[in-house]
Amino acid sequence: TIHSQDEVLVPKGVTAKVNARVVTITGKRGTLTRSFKHLQCDIKIVGKEQKKITVEVWFGSTREKATIRTVCSHIKNLITGVTKGFEYKMKYVYAHFPINVAITDEGRKIEIRNFLGEKI
């Protein structure tokens, strides 16, 4: 096909900037930036009242057209990150050698000891 495109709506309270395939999303939880310079696509902001980020590919192969949805998903994840935020839950399990896990540096670092059964 000659032209393929997809759009992502920018909700209220979120500002978006696009400069040379680098997307910057700012919301109440901070700012996230993602570069899409390695992909051959056009990314632009359309609309005055309801802003949309449009991702389009001209004369794209099947693989290049598939990147459109990937870029839109990444942008939606950026918007989710600055509005709701993300929470990671980890569970550690072991098969034979018991491992020790300690949270240090005021909750910023996780130390995993005896990971491969080595003696220290």
Side-chain angles (χ1 to χ4, degrees), residues 8-102:
V8 177
L9 293 174
V10 179
K12 293 188 178 177
V14 175
T15 60
K17 294 179 190 173
V18 177
N19 186 11
R21 291 191 300 234
V22 176
V23 178
T24 303
I25 306 290
T26 305
K28 63 182 180 182
R29 290 185 160 257
T31 302
L32 293 174
T33 302
R34 180 85 189 226
S35 174
F36 299 104
K37 290 191 176 206
H38 61 284
L39 299 173
Q40 298 299 318
C41 61
D42 296 334
I43 304 173
K44 56 188 170 187
I45 298 176
V46 179
K48 300 252 184 204
E49 296 288 323
Q50 180 66 39
K51 294 201 174 199
K52 300 176 188 173
I53 298 176
T54 303
V55 181
E56 56 187 6
V57 171
W58 293 86
F59 301 103
S61 64
T62 305
R63 179 166 277 186
E64 290 172 347
K65 288 189 292 185
T67 61
I68 294 173
R69 180 124 173 146
T70 303
V71 171
C72 288
S73 295
H74 283 300
I75 293 171
K76 287 177 187 174
N77 288 339
L78 291 174
I79 292 171
T80 302
V82 298
T83 54
K84 297 177 187 174
F86 291 104
E87 181 180 9
Y88 294 103
K89 293 184 179 180
M90 295 177 63
K91 180 195 269 188
Y92 65 93
V93 296
Y94 59 89
H96 183 69
F97 297 108
I99 60 176
N100 297 322
V101 177

